[in-house]
Structures are given as structure tokens and as C-alpha cells.
Amino acid sequence: MKFKYIFPLIASSLLVLSSCDDNLMEWEKDPDHGAVTGAELPLELVEKISRYEPLKSYTNFVLGNGIGADLYMSDAAYRKIVNENFDEVTPGYAMKHGAMVNAKGEINFTTIDAFIAETKKAGLTVFGHTLVWHSNQNASYLNGLIAPTVIPGSSGTNILDVAGLKSGAFTNWSRNNPGKGITVIDNAGLASATKAIQLAASATSAQPYSLQLTSPNVPIVTGHNYEISF
């Protein structure tokens, strides 16, 4: 039967395939050869490639590509290939948050302005990268926006008389131009179960001085250092 010839053939084919899989080709640049150029391609292949139109001519839609902005700006050959074959480009990193925003939240448009100017000359449109990405955000700046405000404690003895505030009687404190009212509110302070002063403006409180609360005089000694905290 012919099957006895088919099975050995299949087995030998599998053996060849497994052998190929274990001996993958390793590509590397020949140090004695230098860069490979188009001049080394067979003439027949060069002529065949030359008959192809740019990639964008084979589509009826906007053909875009993700590219490296720095490489596009610095490598003329790379830039020529992109310009000839695509309608639109998206920079792979240059328009991301991490590339443009520094630790102070300032946006640096230098690189991307130059990139857009260059692509515009080539007739390309630029599709900006995603606004939010799984990485490449400036974490130090963003984390700083949600960091808690640390209010340090006093470094010395408080010499301001706040007894009138704690009692709510405003003893030794002057409520000048009180507007709709200056009062002490329970459980409204920065910490739990603490008080806060509420100054409510009225319709006639048009100027900064129209609502004032004056503290008692603070005794000071010449030559001493004092700390004021809010």
C-alpha cells in the first residue's frame, strides 16, 4: 500500500521542521562589510521595486504611521521614506505627558513645534498621541498635585492670646466691619473636633477692609526671633 511510503515522508518532514526550529538564523552586521546599500540588490529586484508606487497611493483612506519624532528630524533617509509613503504620522513618545511636562507642570513645546513644522512642509498631518497612557506620565508632578498639605506645628510657645476665640466671646479681639457676621464654628477646623473662624461678607463688603478681624496686641522683645504661621 502507498500509505507505507507516506508516513515515513511525514515523519521525516517533522524531523526537518523541528531541526530548523532548533537552529534559528541569527542576523548580525558583518564588521568587515560595512552598511548594506541598495546598490547591492540584484538589478532585476531594484527594477521591480522601482515600479511600486508609494504606499499611500494604494489606499482610499488616510494612511498613518507611528514614528520616532527625533529620528524623523535627524535622519534624512528616514524622513524621506515617511514623507513619500504616508499621509499622517503620530510621534511615538514626543507628545506624551512625560516628554512635554516637567516636574513643575510646565509644558515644553520646543521639540514638537519643530516636528509639526517639518511635517507640515511635507504635507503630512499629525495625529497627537493619547492623552492618558499606561506609562510615560510625569509621576512626580502628578503625585505632587494630590499630595496632602503638611501643616507643621508651632516651633515655640504661642504668645498670641486665643482664649477669646476658643470661648467664642472674642475677648480682646475686635470684629471691625463684621459684614454679615464673624463667628466661631464648632467642628469646622482642619483637624477633627476643632473650631474655625467664619467671616461672612455682606452686600456692602465691597473692599478688602470691609471685613476685618483684629487680634490682640502681641508683646515682642527686640532681638528675638518670632514665627508666624497660618
Side-chain angles (χ1 to χ4, degrees):
M1 294 179 66
K2 294 183 179 180
F3 289 112
K4 66 180 180 181
Y5 299 108
I6 295 175
F7 289 130
L9 179 60
I10 294 175
S12 62
S13 299
L14 292 174
L15 181 62
V16 170
L17 290 174
S18 63
S19 175
C20 292
D21 185 60
D22 291 336
N23 295 278
L24 298 177
M25 295 180 66
E26 295 183 2
W27 295 88
E28 60 182 21
K29 184 176 179 180
D30 186 346
D32 299 324
H33 186 280
V36 177
T37 67
E40 299 182 52
L41 294 174
L43 180 59
E44 182 181 355
L45 181 58
V46 172
E47 292 177 347
K48 184 177 181 180
I49 293 174
S50 68
R51 288 194 290 269
Y52 283 103
E53 297 295 329
L55 289 177
K56 60 186 178 183
S57 65
Y58 294 99
T59 68
N60 58 358
F61 53 84
V62 175
L63 184 63
N65 190 18
I67 65 172
D70 291 337
L71 188 58
Y72 179 86
M73 297 296 292
S74 62
D75 191 317
Y78 181 88
R79 184 166 58 250
K80 183 175 184 294
I81 292 173
V82 172
N83 291 347
E84 290 180 351
N85 288 279
F86 300 98
D87 303 301
E88 187 170 83
V89 292
T90 294
Y93 176 71
M95 293 184 78
K96 288 183 180 178
H97 189 275
M100 299 187 68
V101 182
N102 65 18
K104 296 180 180 179
E106 300 165 338
I107 304 177
N108 186 344
F109 290 97
T110 303
T111 298
I112 207 62
D113 279 350
F115 174 74
I116 290 177
E118 190 66 31
T119 54
K120 188 175 182 179
K121 287 194 303 183
L124 296 172
T125 56
V126 175
F127 190 90
H129 212 289
T130 177
L131 181 62
V132 179
W133 193 241
H134 71 280
S135 61
N136 302 136
Q137 274 70 247
N138 190 324
S140 60
Y141 168 67
L142 295 176
N143 288 334
L145 296 178
I146 59 175
T149 301
V150 178
I151 303 176
S154 174
S155 59
T157 303
N158 184 15
I159 59 175
L160 176 63
D161 182 7
V162 294
L165 296 181
K166 291 181 177 181
S167 67
F170 288 91
T171 305
N172 298 324
W173 289 72
S174 299
R175 286 177 280 189
N176 303 318
N177 301 328
K180 290 180 66 176
I182 301 176
T183 56
V184 175
I185 308 298
D186 291 332
N187 302 315
L190 292 176
S192 60
T194 59
K195 301 180 179 182
I197 304 172
Q198 176 178 278
L199 292 86
S202 66
T204 59
S205 303
Q207 301 298 327
Y209 54 78
S210 298
L211 188 61
Q212 299 181 48
L213 175 63
T214 306
S215 72
N217 292 330
V218 177
I220 60 174
V221 178
T222 302
H224 286 200
N225 294 323
Y226 296 88
E227 177 184 285
I228 300 176
S229 61
F230 298 90

XYZ file of all heavy atoms in Angstrom, residues 72-120:
383
model
N 12.898 61.207 12.865
C 12.353 61.906 11.700
C 13.083 63.223 11.475
O 13.378 63.609 10.342
C 10.860 62.155 11.906
C 10.190 62.898 10.770
C 9.691 62.218 9.663
C 10.053 64.283 10.809
C 9.079 62.896 8.618
C 9.444 64.971 9.768
C 8.961 64.277 8.680
O 8.360 64.960 7.641
N 13.391 63.920 12.559
C 14.043 65.220 12.442
C 15.522 65.105 12.081
O 16.082 65.986 11.430
C 13.902 65.989 13.763
C 12.466 66.319 14.139
S 11.666 67.430 12.974
C 12.590 68.935 13.275
N 16.165 64.012 12.487
C 17.620 63.919 12.331
C 18.078 63.057 11.161
O 19.208 63.202 10.694
C 18.240 63.369 13.624
O 17.767 62.055 13.894
N 17.233 62.153 10.687
C 17.643 61.197 9.655
C 16.910 61.507 8.347
O 15.709 61.263 8.214
C 17.327 59.774 10.124
C 17.955 58.709 9.236
O 17.912 58.864 8.002
O 18.470 57.714 9.775
N 17.635 62.022 7.373
C 17.023 62.437 6.111
C 16.413 61.264 5.351
O 15.341 61.395 4.741
C 18.062 63.141 5.241
N 17.085 60.109 5.370
C 16.567 58.943 4.650
C 15.267 58.454 5.280
O 14.300 58.118 4.585
C 17.610 57.828 4.653
N 15.238 58.417 6.594
C 14.029 58.014 7.330
C 12.889 58.980 7.026
O 11.758 58.575 6.753
C 14.357 58.011 8.820
C 13.233 57.602 9.744
C 13.027 56.265 10.070
C 12.396 58.555 10.325
C 12.013 55.888 10.944
C 11.382 58.188 11.188
C 11.196 56.852 11.498
O 10.192 56.483 12.358
N 13.213 60.267 7.053
C 12.204 61.299 6.801
C 11.646 61.183 5.378
O 10.444 61.345 5.152
C 12.819 62.679 7.034
C 11.843 63.829 6.899
C 12.410 65.124 7.467
N 13.654 65.525 6.831
C 14.844 65.487 7.434
N 14.948 65.053 8.677
N 15.926 65.889 6.795
N 12.501 60.885 4.421
C 12.074 60.757 3.021
C 11.100 59.592 2.848
O 10.085 59.711 2.152
C 13.299 60.559 2.132
C 13.006 60.494 0.633
C 14.308 60.427 -0.156
C 14.048 60.470 -1.659
N 13.327 59.274 -2.127
N 11.390 58.474 3.496
C 10.505 57.301 3.402
C 9.138 57.614 3.994
O 8.097 57.279 3.421
C 11.145 56.095 4.116
C 12.386 55.629 3.350
C 10.145 54.952 4.249
C 13.178 54.561 4.062
N 9.140 58.278 5.143
C 7.873 58.635 5.795
C 7.082 59.604 4.926
O 5.875 59.429 4.696
C 8.141 59.252 7.183
C 6.852 59.816 7.779
C 8.741 58.219 8.123
N 7.745 60.636 4.437
C 7.060 61.659 3.639
C 6.440 61.083 2.368
O 5.352 61.489 1.956
C 8.036 62.770 3.266
C 8.471 63.595 4.462
O 7.879 63.510 5.537
N 9.518 64.383 4.290
N 7.133 60.143 1.750
C 6.670 59.609 0.475
C 5.537 58.597 0.621
O 4.714 58.459 -0.284
C 7.837 58.949 -0.269
C 8.869 59.932 -0.794
C 10.007 59.224 -1.511
O 10.064 57.969 -1.436
O 10.836 59.913 -2.133
N 5.484 57.912 1.759
C 4.572 56.771 1.859
C 3.342 56.972 2.735
O 2.424 56.153 2.696
C 5.338 55.546 2.373
C 6.281 54.983 1.335
O 5.869 54.252 0.442
N 7.558 55.337 1.437
N 3.295 58.064 3.508
C 2.189 58.208 4.451
C 1.539 59.584 4.361
O 2.144 60.559 3.906
C 2.685 57.949 5.878
C 3.247 56.569 6.061
C 4.623 56.348 6.014
C 2.413 55.480 6.246
C 5.146 55.073 6.153
C 2.921 54.202 6.388
C 4.293 53.997 6.336
N 0.271 59.631 4.804
C -0.483 60.887 4.831
C -0.426 61.550 6.203
O -0.558 62.768 6.313
C -1.965 60.629 4.505
C -2.161 59.936 3.175
O -1.727 60.501 2.159
O -2.736 58.828 3.157
N -0.257 60.737 7.234
C -0.365 61.238 8.604
C 0.598 60.475 9.503
O 0.898 59.302 9.249
C -1.804 61.058 9.102
C -2.106 61.690 10.440
C -3.603 61.653 10.720
O -4.087 60.610 11.191
O -4.282 62.661 10.451
N 1.078 61.130 10.543
C 2.011 60.477 11.465
C 1.625 60.774 12.908
O 1.011 61.793 13.211
C 3.469 60.938 11.224
C 3.984 60.433 9.893
C 3.585 62.454 11.310
N 2.001 59.853 13.782
C 1.850 60.034 15.223
C 3.204 59.797 15.869
O 3.778 58.717 15.709
C 0.827 59.041 15.808
O -0.469 59.331 15.291
C 0.785 59.138 17.326
N 3.760 60.788 16.565
C 5.046 60.568 17.233
C 4.891 59.568 18.368
O 3.945 59.654 19.160
C 5.426 61.962 17.746
C 4.138 62.700 17.834
C 3.253 62.153 16.760
N 5.802 58.627 18.445
C 5.671 57.550 19.416
C 5.783 57.989 20.858
O 5.155 57.409 21.738
N 6.586 59.022 21.132
C 6.772 59.436 22.527
C 6.720 60.951 22.718
O 6.276 61.439 23.755
C 8.119 58.914 23.041
C 8.450 59.366 24.448
C 7.749 58.859 25.541
C 9.455 60.310 24.682
C 8.033 59.280 26.831
C 9.749 60.727 25.975
C 9.043 60.214 27.043
O 9.326 60.636 28.317
N 7.130 61.697 21.720
C 7.380 63.132 21.893
C 6.173 63.942 22.328
O 6.325 65.030 22.879
C 7.945 63.714 20.593
N 4.954 63.451 22.111
C 3.765 64.204 22.507
C 3.115 63.653 23.766
O 2.026 64.084 24.145
C 2.746 64.240 21.360
C 3.204 65.038 20.158
S 1.956 65.183 18.854
C 0.894 66.455 19.539
N 3.780 62.727 24.425
C 3.230 62.192 25.672
C 3.522 63.146 26.834
O 4.396 64.007 26.760
C 3.827 60.812 25.959
C 3.319 59.721 25.026
C 3.887 58.370 25.419
C 3.389 57.272 24.505
N 3.966 55.959 24.846
N 2.795 62.928 27.902
C 2.897 63.794 29.075
C 4.323 63.835 29.621
O 4.861 64.905 29.928
C 1.935 63.282 30.154
C 1.782 64.187 31.334
N 2.641 64.167 32.405
C 0.861 65.143 31.607
C 2.257 65.065 33.298
N 1.183 65.673 32.837
N 4.946 62.670 29.722
C 6.292 62.607 30.283
C 7.329 63.337 29.459
O 8.332 63.815 29.986
N 7.108 63.425 28.152
C 8.072 64.085 27.275
C 7.912 65.597 27.275
O 8.867 66.327 27.014
C 7.924 63.560 25.850
N 6.713 66.082 27.582
C 6.437 67.508 27.423
C 6.278 68.274 28.733
O 6.462 69.488 28.763
C 5.164 67.696 26.581
C 5.263 67.126 25.180
S 3.828 67.530 24.155
C 4.019 69.305 23.965
N 5.920 67.588 29.815
C 5.627 68.275 31.080
C 6.734 68.003 32.087
O 7.067 66.848 32.354
C 4.265 67.811 31.649
C 3.949 68.554 32.941
C 3.160 68.035 30.627
N 7.295 69.079 32.647
C 8.368 68.895 33.626
C 7.804 68.785 35.042
O 6.587 68.766 35.249
C 9.399 70.024 33.526
C 8.817 71.388 33.904
O 7.763 71.499 34.544
N 9.501 72.453 33.513
N 8.685 68.722 36.028
C 8.267 68.497 37.412
C 7.482 69.663 37.988
O 6.828 69.522 39.023
C 9.495 68.213 38.279
N 7.532 70.824 37.334
C 6.775 71.989 37.796
C 5.439 72.134 37.070
O 4.701 73.081 37.316
C 7.605 73.263 37.593
C 8.884 73.314 38.411
C 9.628 74.611 38.150
C 10.914 74.690 38.965
N 11.650 75.959 38.691
N 5.153 71.214 36.157
C 3.914 71.302 35.398
C 4.017 72.198 34.178
O 3.013 72.480 33.525
N 5.226 72.631 33.846
C 5.425 73.494 32.686
C 5.532 72.633 31.422
O 6.186 71.598 31.426
C 6.696 74.326 32.856
C 6.671 75.225 34.083
C 8.044 75.763 34.448
O 9.061 75.150 34.045
O 8.099 76.783 35.151
N 4.892 73.077 30.348
C 4.881 72.318 29.097
C 5.940 72.870 28.151
O 5.982 74.069 27.888
C 3.496 72.375 28.427
C 2.415 71.879 29.400
C 3.477 71.536 27.160
C 1.013 71.971 28.844
N 6.787 71.986 27.652
C 7.845 72.369 26.718
C 7.445 71.922 25.308
O 7.401 70.732 25.011
C 9.166 71.707 27.128
C 10.336 72.182 26.279
O 10.148 72.756 25.211
N 11.539 71.943 26.744
N 7.147 72.891 24.451
C 6.690 72.596 23.095
C 7.826 72.623 22.067
O 7.565 72.470 20.872
C 5.626 73.614 22.666
C 4.311 73.470 23.380
C 4.017 74.257 24.482
C 3.368 72.557 22.950
C 2.806 74.138 25.140
C 2.152 72.424 23.600
C 1.866 73.215 24.699
N 9.066 72.817 22.501
C 10.165 73.034 21.560
C 10.286 71.914 20.535
O 10.290 72.151 19.320
C 11.492 73.183 22.325
O 11.375 74.253 23.266
C 12.627 73.478 21.362
N 10.388 70.680 21.011
C 10.576 69.542 20.101
C 9.376 69.347 19.191
O 9.515 69.183 17.972
C 10.825 68.251 20.898
O 12.032 68.397 21.660
C 10.962 67.050 19.977
N 8.199 69.381 19.764
C 7.010 69.068 18.970
C 6.656 70.201 18.017
O 6.109 69.964 16.930
C 5.823 68.703 19.895
C 4.858 67.777 19.156
C 5.132 69.920 20.435
C 5.464 66.462 18.742
N 6.972 71.445 18.377
C 6.739 72.556 17.447
C 7.608 72.398 16.201
O 7.143 72.601 15.068
C 7.048 73.895 18.126
C 5.900 74.382 19.003
O 4.811 73.783 18.938
O 6.094 75.356 19.753
N 8.873 72.036 16.412
C 9.777 71.829 15.276
C 9.320 70.636 14.435
O 9.377 70.662 13.198
C 11.197 71.608 15.781
N 8.847 69.596 15.103
C 8.368 68.391 14.410
C 7.148 68.706 13.547
O 7.073 68.309 12.379
C 8.034 67.323 15.449
C 7.389 66.089 14.893
C 8.127 65.159 14.176
C 6.037 65.848 15.091
C 7.537 64.014 13.658
C 5.430 64.708 14.587
C 6.184 63.793 13.867
N 6.197 69.428 14.104
C 4.981 69.760 13.357
C 5.305 70.679 12.176
O 4.742 70.533 11.084
C 3.939 70.407 14.291
C 3.397 69.349 15.259
C 2.800 71.033 13.499
C 2.415 69.874 16.278
N 6.227 71.605 12.388
C 6.618 72.495 11.289
C 7.233 71.699 10.142
O 6.966 71.964 8.959
C 7.600 73.544 11.799
N 8.053 70.702 10.471
C 8.719 69.893 9.443
C 7.721 69.003 8.707
O 7.781 68.866 7.480
C 9.811 69.046 10.090
C 10.738 68.353 9.110
C 11.590 69.319 8.310
O 11.935 70.394 8.842
O 11.902 69.002 7.139
N 6.803 68.379 9.440
C 5.809 67.517 8.789
C 4.840 68.340 7.945
O 4.360 67.878 6.907
C 5.018 66.710 9.834
O 4.449 67.601 10.810
C 5.918 65.713 10.537
N 4.566 69.547 8.391
C 3.662 70.419 7.627
C 4.270 70.762 6.274
O 3.564 70.809 5.257
C 3.378 71.687 8.426
C 2.300 72.573 7.828
C 1.989 73.749 8.743
C 0.875 74.611 8.152
N 0.545 75.748 9.051
